[in-house]
Amino acid sequence: MLAETFNRHPGTWKMLTVAMCVALLGCLQAQEPQGHVSIILLGATGDLAKKYLWQGLFQLYLDEAGKGHSFSFHGAALTAPKQGQELMAKALESLSCPKDMAPSHCAEHKDQFLRLSQYRQLKTTEDYRALSKDIEAQIQHEGLREAGRIFYFSVPPFAYADIARNINSSCRPGPGAWLRVALEKPFGHDHLSAQQLATELRSFFQEEEMSRVDHYLGKQAVAQILPFRDQNRKALDSLWNRHHVERVEIVMKETVDAAGRISFYEEYGVIRDVLQNHLTEVLTLVAMELPHNVSNAEAVLRHKLQVFQALRGLQKGSAVVGQYQTYSQQVRRELQKPDSFHSLTPTFAGILVHINNLRWEGVPFILTSGKALDERVSYVRVLFKNRAFCVQSEKHWDAEQSQCLPRQIVFHIGHGDLGGPAVLVSRNLFRPSLPSESWVEMEDRPGLRLFGRPLSDYYAYSPVRERDAYSILLAHIFHCRKDSFITTENLLASWVFWTPVLDSLAHEVPRLYPGGAENGHLLDFEFSGSQLSFSQQQLEQLVPGPGSVPVPSEFQVLRAKYRESPLVSAWPEELISKLADDIEATAVRAVQHFGEFHLALSGGSSPVALFQQLAMGHYGFPWAHTHLWLVDERCVPLSDPESNFQGLQAHLLQHIRVPYYNIHPMPVHLHQRLCAEEDQGTQLYAREISALVTNSSFDLVLLGMGTDGHTASLFPQSPAGLDGEQLVVLTTSPFRPHHRMSLSLPLINRAKKVAVLVMGKMKREITLLVSRVGHEPKKWPISGVLPSSGQLVWYMDYEAFLG
C-alpha cells in the first residue's frame, strides 16, 4: 500500500527522504559534543557574587553538565592572586544543592565544580590577553571545540568601559564561537548618563551580545505575569482594562536600612535603585498589550515600548518621598560628612503613574518602595472594581460566588506572610489556568490572611520548585533567551520617563520616619487626580532641611495691589495652584449662570505649569461646557513645536475631555499659506468669536507679560491691534517666528475677567517699570490692559514681584 503511494506520488518519497536525512543529521549533531563554554565572573569576590552569582553558576553547572557542553569557571577581580583565591574559596564554601539531590551526588558535583573554578586577577590588557591564551590552550590540550564565552559584569558601572575595551581587544573568542556579556544595574544615573554608557558599550559589543540584568525579571512570580495573561486570555480579555480595574499596586518593601551601602544609596536613592528598573519593568508586563506569541522577545519588546510611549509624564506632585531618621547620621559616619550635613536622598517613595491609552486611561498604577519599613514583601496587586451590593450579612457570603467580596489578582513576588512566590486569584473571579508542570495549587493555611481575606478565598498557586532569580537568568544567558533582559531601547525609554521627576525632586526635603513598626500611618498616602499627598500631616520637621531657603508651604499667599488692580503673589507652585483654582471657580460660575465658559489662553512657557495643573489636578472642571480660544498664535503650522496650539495640545488638551467642536485654534494656516492677508484669517476668527461669544466678551482671558512689556502678540514695535475696531490682527514680533496673529487690545478689554501671569527673576525689571508707568500701550502694551467693565487680576511669583 505504502509502495503504491510512493509510485503514484514520487514527490512524497523525495520529501520523506529529505526529512529522514535532516532528522538523522540532527541526531548525529546531538551526539557530538556541543563545545566548551568559559564563564568569567568579574567581581568574583564581591557581595553579589558571594550571595547569589556563584550559587547561580553552580546551579547552571548542575543543570547543564552531561548535556554536551564542557565548562570552565573563572572568578576575576582586581585583588592580587593569593588574596583573591582565598576570598573566592570562602565564597564557594556556601554552595548548596537542590533538596531532592542525594548528599553523595551533591558532594561529587560540588567537587567537580570547584576543580573547574579558578581565580584570576584581571587588571591590565595583558591579563585579559593571558586569560584568552589560557582558555585556548586548555581547549587545544583537551581536544575540545570552543562554543563561546560569557563575561558577567558584577562590578560598578564606572568600570564597564575599560573592561569592555579589554574584552573586545584581547579576550574575544575565535571565529565560530559566540560572546555574551551580562551587565548588572545601575545603567546610568539619568537619561543622559544612560545614553553615554549605552553609546560606549555599543562601540565594543553588538546589541545581541549584551544582556542587561534586572534580577526582578528572573523572579518566578514576575516571570509568570505574561504567561498567566496569555493562558487566561479568555477570562481576562473582558476584565483587563479601565472599565473593570480599580487600581494596580506594585510594591517592594524592605525592613533593612541602607547601612553598608550608603555610598551607593547616597548617589542613587530609592527611585533609581528600585522604581526606575524593577517596578517599572513589572508595570510594563502588567500594562502592555499581549503579543500573539508571548515567547517572541522582539514582539514583547515592541509592546513594552508602546507602554513607555503612553505613560503620562510625571510631575513633582505625582510623588511622595521619605527618609528614615537615622539615614543622615549614617551618611555622616560612613562618608565622613560634617555634623551639619543633612541628606535629601529619599529612602522611601510612592509614585502615581497613569497610562494614556484606551485600555488604561484613568487607572492609577501605584509604585511603592522603601527601606526601614514594617515588613519585607514584594507583590503586584490588580484590584478590580466592585459595583455589587449584597443584602445578606457577610457571614452568609460564599467565598466562591459572592460578588461583594474583594476581587483581585496578586502576583506575590516574595517574602511576606506567604514566604515565597505565588499567584493568587479571588475565587469570585475565575479559576485560573497555570502550567501544571511548574505551578501547583497550594494547601490552605488556616489563620493566614492576605489583603484582608483568608487564603481560602483565593485560588492560590506556588512553584513546584522554588528557584533563585539569578539561577534562572544565568540559564537564560547561557541559552541566549533575550526576553528576560533589558535592551538599550527599553532602558533609554525608562530613563526618559523617570529623569524629569528625579530632577524635580532633587531639592525636595523628604518626610522623616522613625523606621519599622513605629512608622504607624506616617507614610500612608492618598491620591486625587494625579496628585499624591501624605494622608497624615507632619506637624514638625525633626531634622531641618539644608540651607535657609524657605519652602513654599512656609508662606501664605500674599494679597496686595499692583497698578491699582488686585495682585496675588506666592511661590511658583502655590501661585499656579491658586490661579488654577480661580479659573475653575470662574468656569463653574459661568456654566451655572450661562451654560458655557469661554476661556482665551496665551502661549509661551509661563502657562505650561498652569495647563499641567488644570489637566492633572482639576477633575471637577466643567470641560464639557468650556470653549477654548487662543489669545495669540505664531504663523507656523499648528503641528509645529513652536505653535502655541501645539503647546496647548501637549500640556492640556490631550489630558482632558473637551468636545472637539469647543476648541478654536487660530486660522494661521489657510490655503497652504501662513498668515496671508488675502486669506482673511483674522476676519474669520473675529466672525467665529462674534458668533459664539456673547458681546465678544470672553469670560476669562489669560495673558503674560514679556520683558519688553508686550502682552499677547501685541508689541511696542508693531502698533497693530492697540486701538481701533479690529478684533483680531496680524502683528510682527521682534523674536522668531516674526509673524503672529493676536486678539486686539480692545477685544481683550471686553473680557469679564483678565488674569496676567508673570513668573521668574527675568521679569523683575519690567515688573518694576510697569508698576510706575501710566496708560502707555504704544510703549508698553501691557499697560493698556484694563477691562472696560470686567476685572483685572495680576498673578506674580515672588521672584518677579520681589526679585
Side-chain angles (χ1 to χ4, degrees):
M1 187 73 178
L2 195 60
E4 281 180 30
T5 305
F6 290 143
N7 288 335
R8 284 186 204 153
H9 306 283
T12 308
W13 174 252
K14 190 176 178 183
M15 285 168 65
L16 186 61
T17 307
V18 170
M20 288 171 67
C21 289
V22 169
L24 184 61
L25 183 62
C27 292
L28 291 169
Q29 284 177 337
Q31 288 169 4
E32 285 178 9
Q34 293 174 352
H36 185 79
V37 177
S38 307
I39 300 178
I40 301 94
L41 174 54
L42 299 141
T45 56
D47 198 45
L48 183 67
K50 283 186 277 189
K51 280 184 180 171
Y52 300 108
L53 297 176
W54 278 118
Q55 180 61 44
L57 290 174
F58 181 47
Q59 187 61 54
L60 177 69
Y61 176 69
L62 292 177
D63 291 342
E64 299 298 330
K67 291 184 181 177
H69 284 104
S70 59
F71 291 91
S72 59
F73 300 90
H74 304 266
L78 299 175
T79 315
K82 190 181 175 189
Q83 190 189 355
Q85 211 152 354
E86 288 168 3
L87 289 168
M88 190 174 116
K90 200 169 182 183
L92 292 173
E93 281 173 9
S94 58
L95 296 180
S96 61
C97 299
K99 291 173 186 173
D100 57 357
M101 184 178 281
S104 58
H105 279 127
C106 178
E108 189 183 330
H109 284 301
K110 195 171 171 181
D111 192 46
Q112 287 169 350
F113 183 77
L114 293 173
R115 279 203 303 272
L116 295 171
S117 305
Q118 54 179 294
Y119 177 80
R120 307 191 64 100
Q121 184 181 32
L122 284 184
K123 206 170 185 178
T124 64
T125 305
E126 191 46 54
D127 291 337
Y128 284 88
R129 201 171 286 128
L131 170 63
S132 191
K133 283 179 183 170
D134 287 353
I135 291 172
E136 287 162 14
Q138 180 194 351
I139 288 164
Q140 197 172 0
H141 176 71
E142 295 177 18
L144 303 170
R145 178 187 65 81
E146 183 166 24
R149 300 177 190 179
I150 296 173
F151 286 84
Y152 197 109
F153 287 46
S154 179
V155 295
F158 66 76
Y160 282 5
D162 279 343
I163 294 170
R165 187 180 294 106
N166 282 321
I167 292 171
N168 186 53
S169 65
S170 310
C171 213
R172 272 187 174 275
W178 44 256
L179 171 70
R180 290 174 198 149
V181 293
L183 305 157
E184 271 288 340
K185 76 171 186 71
F187 312 118
H189 189 265
D190 54 18
H191 182 244
L192 181 62
S193 59
Q195 216 165 19
Q196 288 168 342
L197 182 60
T199 304
E200 244 176 342
L201 289 170
R202 265 206 210 105
S203 64
F204 304 117
F205 305 130
Q206 295 168 34
E207 181 68 27
E208 58 269 22
E209 292 176 328
M210 292 186 283
S211 296
R212 287 182 185 81
V213 175
D214 183 332
H215 79 272
Y216 247 56
L217 293 179
K219 300 270 187 187
Q220 285 170 290
V222 173
Q224 189 56 33
I225 294 174
L226 280 188
F228 176 89
R229 290 181 58 195
D230 183 43
Q231 289 155 20
N232 295 279
R233 279 183 197 249
K234 193 173 179 183
L236 288 175
D237 268 353
S238 59
L239 290 173
W240 209 253
N241 56 57
R242 62 192 166 97
H243 301 297
H244 297 280
V245 175
E246 181 183 308
R247 69 187 190 200
V248 179
E249 301 167 5
I250 305 173
V251 174
M252 177 184 168
K253 294 169 70 178
E254 295 183 275
T255 52
V256 297
D257 62 17
R261 296 182 70 217
I262 290 292
S263 60
F264 169 84
Y265 223 78
E266 186 60 8
E267 186 177 354
Y268 290 93
V270 68
I271 296 177
R272 290 180 174 91
D273 184 36
V274 176
L275 282 86
Q276 179 272 329
N277 36 71
H278 302 329
L279 303 196
T280 303
E281 285 303 306
V282 172
L283 180 146
T284 61
L285 295 174
V286 172
M288 65 186 271
E289 295 300 313
L290 271 186
H292 180 67
N293 177 7
V294 295
S295 302
N296 183 325
E298 284 182 27
V300 168
L301 171 64
R302 191 166 61 250
H303 286 246
K304 282 169 93 173
L305 291 173
Q306 286 169 3
V307 176
F308 281 113
Q309 287 162 10
L311 291 175
R312 184 190 295 175
L314 291 174
Q315 310 300 318
K316 190 154 70 169
S318 310
V320 289
V321 290
Q323 183 192 93
Y324 62 82
Q325 278 176 19
T326 57
Y327 179 78
S328 281
Q329 184 185 328
Q330 290 173 337
V331 175
R332 292 194 288 272
R333 186 172 61 247
E334 289 190 30
L335 302 183
Q336 285 81 51
K337 297 283 185 182
D339 291 345
S340 59
F341 178 82
H342 293 287
S343 172
L344 293 182
T345 301
T347 60
F348 167 86
I351 307 282
L352 180 61
V353 176
H354 280 96
I355 301 172
N356 289 332
N357 62 22
L358 286 173
R359 183 180 292 278
W360 296 114
E361 186 187 4
V363 177
F365 283 72
I366 301 158
L367 277 56
T368 305
S369 185
K371 289 191 173 292
L373 301 181
D374 63 324
E375 63 175 338
R376 185 185 184 190
V377 67
S378 305
Y379 61 83
V380 184
R381 181 185 180 217
V382 181
L383 183 65
F384 293 88
K385 294 175 182 176
N386 197 343
R387 298 187 181 90
F389 177 81
C390 297
V391 176
Q392 278 192 310
S393 62
E394 187 177 347
K395 61 188 174 191
H396 297 299
W397 292 355
D398 180 344
E400 300 209 19
Q401 293 177 354
S402 174
Q403 290 306 301
C404 280
L405 286 167
R407 301 188 301 160
Q408 50 199 336
I409 295 174
V410 180
F411 299 95
H412 194 274
I413 298 167
H415 307 291
D417 292 334
L418 266 179
V423 176
L424 312 173
V425 178
S426 294
R427 287 182 180 269
N428 58 350
L429 269 174
F430 61 90
R431 176 181 276 279
S433 170
L434 280 93
S436 56
E437 70 279 3
S438 51
W439 289 80
V440 63
E441 202 157 355
M442 295 169 68
E443 291 179 11
D444 188 25
R445 288 158 62 179
L448 177 61
R449 292 177 71 83
L450 297 157
F451 306 102
R453 303 304 306 166
L455 184 62
S456 57
D457 270 16
Y458 301 94
Y459 294 112
Y461 296 82
S462 62
V464 171
R465 179 185 165 203
E466 209 171 308
R467 293 193 63 186
D468 171 67
Y470 280 100
S471 298
I472 291 169
L473 293 175
L474 283 163
H476 288 185
I477 293 166
F478 178 74
H479 291 291
C480 203
R481 270 189 58 182
K482 300 292 283 183
D483 53 328
S484 303
F485 301 98
I486 313 298
T487 65
T488 302
E489 241 182 325
N490 189 159
L491 172 71
L492 296 179
S494 179
W495 275 120
V496 164
F497 176 64
W498 282 103
T499 298
V501 75
L502 285 164
D503 290 344
S504 72
L505 291 170
H507 302 294
E508 185 82 354
V509 179
R511 167 170 287 198
L512 293 174
Y513 59 95
E518 290 178 42
N519 294 336
H521 297 289
L522 199 59
L523 296 178
D524 291 354
F525 55 86
E526 52 196 55
F527 50 92
S528 171
S530 65
Q531 299 291 301
L532 272 191
S533 58
F534 284 115
S535 304
Q536 197 178 91
Q537 291 300 310
Q538 193 168 21
L539 298 177
E540 56 182 278
Q541 185 78 333
L542 300 178
V543 178
S548 59
V549 179
V551 295
S553 57
E554 291 171 2
F555 285 80
Q556 295 298 315
V557 173
L558 175 66
R559 297 176 187 279
K561 290 272 185 183
Y562 180 80
R563 289 181 57 83
E564 303 306 313
S565 293
L567 166 72
V568 177
S569 192
W571 291 105
E573 280 181 42
E574 199 167 358
L575 182 71
I576 290 296
S577 180
K578 170 65 177 157
L579 177 53
D581 288 345
D582 289 353
I583 292 173
E584 181 173 355
T586 306
V588 169
R589 279 196 302 273
V591 170
Q592 282 171 350
H593 287 97
F594 309 109
E596 56 188 20
F597 173 57
H598 289 273
L599 173 63
L601 296 167
S602 273
S605 56
S606 292
V608 167
L610 172 68
F611 296 164
Q612 291 170 341
Q613 177 76 16
L614 287 170
M616 310 303 183
H618 289 261
Y619 287 92
F621 200 104
W623 293 116
H625 305 284
T626 297
H627 284 260
L628 291 168
W629 302 84
L630 269 289
V631 166
D632 62 331
E633 183 57 278
R634 295 153 183 202
C635 293
V636 294
L638 295 185
S639 59
D640 191 292
E642 291 197 317
S643 161
N644 289 342
F645 182 78
Q646 185 56 234
L648 185 66
Q649 161 67 19
H651 300 293
L652 180 63
L653 296 181
Q654 70 170 344
H655 304 298
I656 60 175
R657 292 184 178 275
V658 61
Y660 74 92
Y661 42 79
N662 283 9
I663 300 167
H664 309 280
M666 280 186 156
V668 292
H669 198 185
L670 296 170
H671 307 123
Q672 298 184 332
R673 295 184 292 196
L674 291 167
C675 294
E677 284 195 33
E678 53 269 39
D679 292 334
Q680 300 189 332
T682 54
Q683 294 95 313
L684 192 66
Y685 207 52
R687 283 198 296 273
E688 195 176 358
I689 292 168
S690 300
L692 296 174
V693 183
T694 308
N695 300 323
S696 300
S697 174
F698 291 107
D699 295 300
L700 193 147
V701 174
L702 175 71
L703 298 175
M705 177 168 70
T707 52
D708 60 353
H710 83 264
T711 191
S713 280
L714 304 171
F715 297 92
Q717 303 89 336
S718 171
L722 298 176
D723 49 28
E725 297 299 313
Q726 265 191 284
L727 300 184
V728 185
V729 294
L730 291 176
T731 66
T732 305
S733 162
F735 321 105
R736 290 180 177 276
H738 297 302
H739 300 295
R740 311 282 178 98
M741 187 180 286
S742 177
L743 302 187
S744 68
L745 199 53
L747 177 58
I748 290 169
N749 284 334
R750 287 192 201 180
K752 293 170 187 165
K753 182 173 180 178
V754 176
V756 183
L757 177 62
V758 188
M759 297 178 72
K761 242 179 211 169
M762 288 177 64
K763 302 290 175 73
R764 172 64 187 137
E765 201 173 311
I766 189 65
T767 301
L768 196 60
L769 177 66
V770 168
S771 70
R772 297 170 179 163
V773 303
H775 183 84
E776 297 184 65
K778 284 191 165 61
K779 282 188 181 177
W780 300 283
I782 189 70
S783 71
V785 176
L786 194 59
S788 49
S789 57
Q791 183 190 28
L792 169 63
V793 181
W794 297 82
Y795 293 82
M796 291 187 190
D797 71 359
Y798 287 133
E799 289 193 330
F801 183 52
L802 302 172

